[in-house]
């Protein structure tokens, strides 16, 4: 069963790469690795994809240290060493700024923005032209719901985004992979997962969207696929002018 999970992830990753033209020969791709299940699955999948595809590209794993004392990166370092992937840890004070200095009531937005900036800057410093993030299908749908519920608009992140200020492209190769597939692949293949030290973990608006989606799926089992289909269906939008 573990092989089936991995095959499903690689098949959907390949679909995203080709559909959105994410990878080309000569690319140097920085993989953002937080140590969570999604980023570890992305790193391993990109490693396998690199081995079995015609594209000639390089990988470089990057972890941002947010300044929390109880963040153990040793399992990530050992895993990268085993795969032969160069690994860089970027020390930051993001945790200190967000939680202690700014004392943000809703810290996730600022933290995410600062992490994106630090990751992209580090990728450029390392000579990478692309950054790969571990967002999956459930993240796409949850972001869509968050935008609808809290912003009153229909929006979610793109599979591929070019950032002209830094001359770098952000790709999300796992946008067609479900969280269930990722959890299954991580568990069956024993990929190392590092527990997040974030104080807000499990108590966010995103967790609300995740719980809402789970409740809806009891009555509509394929609701994730339905929403994904709507997101991609630009030809049949019937909204007010």
């Amino acid at each position: 069963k573990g092989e089936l999970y991995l095959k499903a992830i690689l098949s959907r990753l390949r679909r995203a790469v080709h559909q959105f033209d994410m990878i080309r020969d000569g690319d140097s791709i920085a993989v953002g690795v937080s140590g969570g299940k999604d980023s570890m699955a992305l790193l391993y999948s990109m490693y396998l994809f690199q081995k079995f595809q015609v594209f000639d590209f390089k990988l470089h794993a990057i972890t941002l240290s947010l300044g929390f004392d109880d963040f153990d990166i040793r399992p990530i370092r050992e895993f990268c060493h085993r795969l032969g992937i160069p690994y860089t840890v970027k020390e930051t004070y993001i945790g200190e700024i967000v939680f202690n200095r700014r004392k943000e009531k809703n810290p996730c937005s600022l933290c995410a923005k600062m992490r994106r900036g630090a990751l992209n800057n580090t990728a450029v410093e390392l000579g990478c032209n692309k950054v790969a993030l571990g967002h999956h299908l459930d993240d796409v749908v949850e972001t869509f719901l968050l935008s609808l519920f809290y912003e009153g608009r229909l929006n979610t992140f793109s599979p591929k985004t070019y950032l002209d200020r830094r001359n770098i492209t952000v790709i999300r190769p796992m946008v067609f992979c479900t969280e269930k597939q990722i959890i299954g692949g991580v568990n069956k293949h024993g990929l190392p997962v590092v527990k997040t030290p974030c104080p807000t973990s499990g108590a966010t608006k995103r967790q609300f969207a995740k719980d809402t989606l789970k409740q809806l799926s009891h009555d509509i089992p394929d609701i994730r696929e339905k929403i994904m289909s709507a997101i991609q269906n630009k030809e049949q939008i019937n909204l007010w002018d």
Side-chain angles (χ1 to χ4, degrees):
K1 195 172 182 180
E3 293 298 327
L4 292 178
Y5 283 122
L6 189 59
K7 286 181 179 178
I9 292 172
L10 283 172
S11 174
R12 296 187 178 207
L13 184 145
R14 186 183 302 111
R15 173 186 166 193
V17 166
H18 288 286
Q19 182 170 328
F20 300 108
D21 189 25
M22 291 184 176
I23 298 176
R24 296 183 177 182
D25 284 338
D27 280 344
S28 182
I29 304 174
V31 182
V33 183
S34 66
K37 60 176 174 41
D38 301 335
S39 64
M40 297 307 292
L42 172 65
L43 182 64
Y44 189 51
S45 299
M46 291 289 283
Y47 164 78
L48 294 176
F49 185 75
Q50 183 187 41
K51 296 293 182 186
F52 299 114
Q53 292 302 308
V54 296
F55 299 112
D56 180 18
F57 63 94
K58 297 178 181 178
L59 294 174
H60 196 125
I62 300 176
T63 295
L64 300 179
S65 175
L66 304 184
F68 298 113
D69 293 333
D70 53 347
F71 185 46
D72 184 8
I73 63 168
R74 286 176 296 179
I76 307 174
R77 189 183 299 278
E78 291 169 3
F79 187 64
C80 289
H81 178 72
R82 195 171 69 193
L83 299 182
I85 298 174
Y87 181 53
T88 296
V89 179
K90 182 69 173 181
E91 301 290 341
T92 77
Y93 298 98
I94 294 175
E96 168 69 20
I97 294 170
V98 172
F99 293 101
N100 297 332
R101 297 184 195 173
R102 296 281 294 266
K103 299 185 186 300
E104 292 283 321
K105 292 183 179 179
N106 299 303
C108 296
S109 178
L110 177 61
C111 183
K113 184 177 180 179
M114 294 181 71
R115 283 188 289 114
R116 285 195 300 269
L119 178 60
N120 293 338
N121 287 339
T122 304
V124 171
E125 291 170 4
L126 293 170
C128 298
N129 67 312
K130 288 181 179 174
V131 172
L133 302 179
H135 296 116
H136 47 67
L137 184 149
D138 292 65
D139 290 325
V140 177
V141 175
E142 289 160 15
T143 301
F144 180 83
L145 294 179
L146 285 170
S147 181
L148 177 63
F149 294 159
Y150 294 103
E151 299 174 358
R153 64 192 183 115
L154 304 178
N155 183 59
T156 192
F157 53 78
S158 299
K160 185 176 77 168
T161 306
Y162 175 66
L163 306 177
D164 54 0
R165 288 186 179 182
R166 293 186 175 89
N167 190 29
I168 200 165
T169 300
V170 176
I171 60 174
R172 295 175 169 92
M174 295 201 303
V175 288
F176 292 133
C177 303
T178 66
E179 186 171 32
K180 181 179 179 181
Q181 289 169 335
I182 290 170
I183 291 172
V186 167
N187 290 340
K188 293 298 181 180
H189 288 272
L191 302 185
V193 173
V194 178
K195 189 176 185 297
T196 175
C198 176
T200 66
S201 180
T204 63
K205 289 180 178 178
R206 180 164 292 277
Q207 186 61 46
F208 169 72
K210 189 181 291 290
D211 293 340
T212 300
L213 197 58
K214 185 176 181 180
Q215 290 176 344
L216 291 171
S217 66
H218 288 309
D219 294 322
I220 313 171
D222 62 344
I223 189 168
R224 292 170 177 81
E225 288 73 17
K226 286 284 197 301
I227 296 177
M228 275 291 286
S229 178
I231 289 171
Q232 297 179 81
N233 191 354
K234 296 184 292 184
E235 310 303 322
Q236 296 180 350
I237 299 175
N238 186 20
L239 300 174
W240 294 354
D241 292 331

